[in-house]
Amino acid sequence: MARGAFREQVLKVREDAIIASVNRLLAEKGFDLMTVDEVAADVGIAKASLYKHFASKEALAAAAMVRVLRKAADIVEAQPAAAPAIDKLKAVTRWALDVQLAGEMPTLPSQNSSLRAELLGSAAYTDLLTHVSDQLGAWIVKAQADGDIDPSLPPELVLFTLFSRACDPVPGFLKAGGRYTDAQIVEMVMGTCFDGLRRRPEQAS
Amino acid sequence: MARGAFREQVLKVREDAIIASVNRLLAEKGFDLMTVDEVAADVGIAKASLYKHFASKEALAAAAMVRVLRKAADIVEAQPAAAPAIDKLKAVTRWALDVQLAGEMPTLPSQNSSLRAELLGSAAYTDLLTHVSDQLGAWIVKAQADGDIDPSLPPELVLFTLFSRACDPVPGFLKAGGRYTDAQIVEMVMGTCFDGLRRRPEQAS
DNA sequence: GTCTATAAATCGATAGAC
DNA sequence: GTCTATCGATTTATAGAC
């Protein structure tokens, strides 16, 4: 089976290259403005060849989303179990902001129905999303019990807020302004997310 | 000139109806998924008639953006001059969240270049945007001097953050969940925006 | 599996009659 | 100005040769 395994390896490498292109184009232009011709040109193969690997444009986007979710799950998994929940939440949020500032966070319009159907129909996607959400949700409840997150906030509000920060346009605006480094932008946005805009007596480190 | 004035009135009413439809469809599906056929059908006129009023799809979107910006400028103007700057900022933010929850906040993709060109080429749009930004910017600096907003935050970060909250997907997610009233959602999101997720000793009213 | 070529559908925009 | 009908361009997806 060595030859078969090798063939599969080659196939997987090619598909990885495709997904990488899709990921980048999705982050750059969004789903609607990304064309399949563009993806094919970026990968360096013919469009018809693309359709041998993925059944549709929606399937391409779904594969990119699964990849980023898998990476997110890895980051979640990599957090030391003994660390405070708030630190783990902040670490994952920082990672998402880093990815976004690197121009590698694929963003999908929540309005597109054909895309929504494809995503919700993909077990690989929904399972990963559930897994990550459950982990973050547990940390949120823990952080609230620890007194590090306002216990009066519904956990789902906190979860949605963190997810939204991963796609927030603010880092991109600040980066376009050119006055701050990526690291500074991440810290500023982390501050407005967890500490708000209001002045506080004791500033978080 | 009475007849001419009357004709202009009729024209204006029709164009208002067009812009109202565009505004709603823009909020519902976004620019790329909104089709001109759809707008024409929603208004109840033929597509060719639409093009007698507006030169392009981009011009339609720009008109909707000008309308919402004009309304925003009105809200800004309506704030009592003597009120604390932080209260004025919160009032405008609340208004934006209300509009968004009502499904009437038109959102434009910042990536679409043809749309960007049309908007930046429209003096009505850029002038209004500058006017609103300047007013909010002055209030932000004042609120920082008053100690109500963290003075270490760059004012542009605060401005971008407030603008982004007006288009944030979080209120829509919470509304879709169906567990909270619109008023509750507005207050919760206002809290995470100004006070952050972190627990604080003295909770804001 | 990869290519060229093209089908099929959609959409923005316009022509021309009234 | 409003309509019907259509153009022209773009885009997703596929057929068929190699």
Side-chain angles (χ1 to χ4, degrees), chain B residues 120-187:
Chain B
L120 297 182
S122 159
Y125 175 80
T126 55
D127 288 354
L128 274 168
L129 185 59
T130 300
H131 178 249
V132 171
S133 295
D134 285 350
Q135 275 286 359
L136 295 181
W139 289 348
I140 289 167
V141 173
K142 181 66 162 51
Q144 289 180 311
D146 293 343
D148 291 322
I149 286 185
D150 186 345
S152 73
L153 302 176
E156 64 176 339
L157 168 65
V158 181
L159 183 65
F160 291 161
T161 299
L162 294 182
F163 271 125
S164 295
R165 284 314 144 266
C167 312
D168 214 37
V170 170
F173 288 154
L174 290 173
K175 190 176 178 112
R179 267 196 283 279
Y180 307 100
T181 66
D182 283 8
Q184 287 176 315
I185 293 173
V186 169
E187 288 317 304

Side-chain angles (χ1 to χ4, degrees), chain A residues 65-136:
Chain A
M65 292 306 296
V66 165
R67 197 177 81 147
V68 74
L69 268 185
R70 221 187 294 272
K71 183 67 185 165
D74 288 346
I75 299 292
V76 164
E77 228 65 55
Q79 299 306 310
I86 184 70
D87 290 349
K88 295 191 267 193
L89 288 171
K90 284 188 176 179
V92 176
T93 305
R94 270 204 190 82
W95 165 78
L97 290 173
D98 286 339
V99 172
Q100 216 226 344
L101 278 167
E104 292 171 358
M105 181 64 79
T107 69
L108 299 185
S110 54
Q111 305 123 334
N112 192 317
S113 54
S114 69
L115 189 51
R116 269 185 64 90
E118 175 92 17
L119 285 174
L120 297 183
S122 159
Y125 175 79
T126 56
D127 288 353
L128 274 167
L129 185 59
T130 300
H131 178 248
V132 172
S133 295
D134 285 350
Q135 274 287 359
L136 295 180

Side-chain angles (χ1 to χ4, degrees), chain A residues 33-49:
Chain A
L33 265 60
M34 177 188 83
T35 70
V36 178
D37 292 85
E38 214 167 8
V39 175
D42 194 69
V43 178
I45 62 175
K47 180 167 53 170
S49 304

Side-chain angles (χ1 to χ4, degrees), chain B residues 14 46 49 52:
Chain B
R14 166 135 303 177
S49 303
K52 297 286 182 181

